[in-house]
Amino acid sequence: MNCVNRKNVKKLVEDPLSFAMMMDDEQLEHVIVTFVSVLNKRKTDRGD
């Protein structure tokens, strides 16, 4: 697995569709699950 840095994150934010199109279904599912997990943890930590 490759390391994610701020430069990669900036590229993803600027053009998420291109990144998604380059991923296969399994990679895309993994990214979605990871993002939702982080979001849920952040909301719980803030008392939402």
Side-chain angles (χ1 to χ4, degrees):
M1 182 178 282
N2 295 333
C3 181
V4 176
N5 57 36
R6 290 188 183 273
K7 184 178 178 181
N8 291 341
V9 171
K10 185 178 178 190
K11 288 180 183 178
L12 175 61
V13 169
E14 290 174 353
D15 192 11
L17 188 56
S18 292
F19 271 77
M21 295 299 290
M22 291 188 301
M23 295 178 190
D24 63 28
D25 289 351
E26 187 175 320
Q27 290 172 317
L28 192 54
E29 289 172 3
H30 179 73
V31 169
I32 291 168
V33 168
T34 303
F35 284 175
V36 170
S37 297
V38 170
L39 181 60
N40 285 339
K41 180 164 178 27
R42 287 181 180 181
K43 284 187 174 189
T44 301
D45 290 347
R46 293 185 302 182
D48 293 343

